[in-house]
Structure formats: C-alpha cells, structure tokens
Amino acid sequence: MKKYLLILAVLVFSGCTNAKSYELDDEWLPLKEIKQRSKMAALVVPSKSNITTVSPYCYVTDLDYYLKLKPPGSVKFRSIMTHERIHAQRQEKTGVFSWVGQYMTDAKFALAEEKIGYYHQMKLDGSLRPENVASALSKYKIFTGGIVSYEDALTWARLVRSGQWHPKP
C-alpha cells in the first residue's frame, strides 16, 4: 500500500509543476484552472484527450490540443467540465487526498464516482454515445486494475440514455 501511495503522490505533485494553464470562469468553482501535465506525469497518462481532476485543478497531457478538441463554451467542453466539477466538489466535501486515495484503490468507489460524472456529462451532451462512454469507462485503470467491463459499462450507459438510471441524491 505504501508503494501505491508514493506513486499517487508522485502523480499528483508531478502534475503541479507545469506552468502552462487555462484559467476557468467562476462557474466551474471549485475548479480554478486546466493545467498541462508535466512530462513525467504525461508518461503515466499519455492520452491527449483525457482529463484528470485533483481539486482545484484539472490536468491534461497537451493543453493546446485539448482546448482545440474541446473549445471553451462548446457543448463538449461544458459537459466535460460539469463532470470534472462534480469530482472536484465531491473531493472538497470528503477531503481531496482521501477521495483520490480511495478512488485509486477501490474499483467500486471509482466506478460510482465516474457514473455520477458521466451521468451529468451525458445529460448535457446528447451526442455522447453509450458506446463511447462504455469504451472510456472500460479503459479506466486504478492501482487494483480496471473498474468495469465494456459490457457492464455499456448496459449502464444505455440505461442513462433511456432515462432509467439516475444517481442517488
């Protein structure tokens, strides 16, 4: 477990060293900025389109590419930032490092948190297909492995799209 916490600390703090950032409007509070990950963190999370939140910041591998792909003000940007804001709010409520630690070590917790975020993202972005959500969720990896199979994620995403699944209040 100590090894995992050390890796977590390296990932979190290595992402904080890069100065390239995009300041967010107050509507996204508690989020403040989207920051470009350091080269070290980008080796661990190499995707140019993934975003990771450790409140009050979001981290991406290539900030210019990310903002070009999801321009501020667009439906894609707004839906993703809503998803990330939910993570940040929940992190702040329970304690950022406690939340991140549990997320990285507990697949059920991580999946439950992603379901809440993706539910709101799908509600705002009607073009987000259940197959795309399932593909993304099935690729999530935490220290203990994956968090959900493609098939289970697809079944869940279809329930969301059909209005049959809602997060618990």
Side-chain angles (χ1 to χ4, degrees):
M1 183 58 89
K2 285 183 180 180
K3 176 180 154 186
Y4 293 133
L5 293 176
L6 178 61
I7 293 169
L8 174 64
V10 168
L11 290 176
V12 169
F13 293 114
S14 66
C16 298
T17 62
N18 198 303
K20 194 171 198 177
S21 66
Y22 175 82
E23 189 173 339
L24 294 165
D25 295 334
D26 286 349
E27 80 173 289
W28 303 115
L29 287 172
L31 294 172
K32 295 179 180 178
E33 294 176 313
I34 302 173
K35 293 185 170 198
Q36 185 163 300
R37 289 184 187 103
S38 69
K39 291 184 190 295
M40 182 179 179
L43 292 173
V44 179
V45 188
S47 171
K48 286 186 171 185
S49 60
N50 284 358
I51 187 166
T52 304
T53 294
V54 179
S55 190
Y57 304 107
C58 296
Y59 298 96
V60 297
T61 299
D62 183 330
L63 183 61
D64 293 331
Y65 177 84
Y66 187 84
L67 293 174
K68 184 177 180 183
L69 192 64
K70 297 156 182 150
S74 69
V75 170
K76 293 244 181 274
F77 182 88
R78 296 187 63 73
S79 66
I80 290 168
M81 292 314 300
T82 296
H83 178 143
E84 299 306 320
R85 180 180 57 200
I86 289 166
H87 287 326
Q89 290 167 336
R90 295 174 68 80
Q91 289 171 10
E92 300 267 336
K93 184 177 179 182
T94 59
V96 173
F97 289 103
S98 174
W99 187 99
V100 171
Q102 187 173 3
Y103 183 100
M104 295 304 297
T105 58
D106 181 340
K108 287 182 183 180
F109 178 80
L111 179 58
E113 292 297 306
E114 288 306 325
K115 282 182 173 181
I116 294 166
Y118 272 110
Y119 168 84
H120 291 283
Q121 187 175 343
M122 290 175 73
K123 289 298 175 190
L124 290 172
D125 185 353
S127 71
L128 185 54
R129 297 175 46 230
E131 294 80 6
N132 294 357
V133 172
S135 178
L137 281 171
S138 67
K139 292 175 186 169
Y140 275 57
K141 300 288 184 249
I142 62 171
F143 293 140
T144 57
I147 65 171
V148 67
S149 70
Y150 175 85
E151 295 77 18
D152 288 347
L154 181 59
T155 298
W156 170 80
R158 286 178 173 160
L159 289 172
V160 170
R161 192 50 82 212
S162 69
Q164 298 177 57
W165 189 94
H166 300 84
K168 294 177 184 172

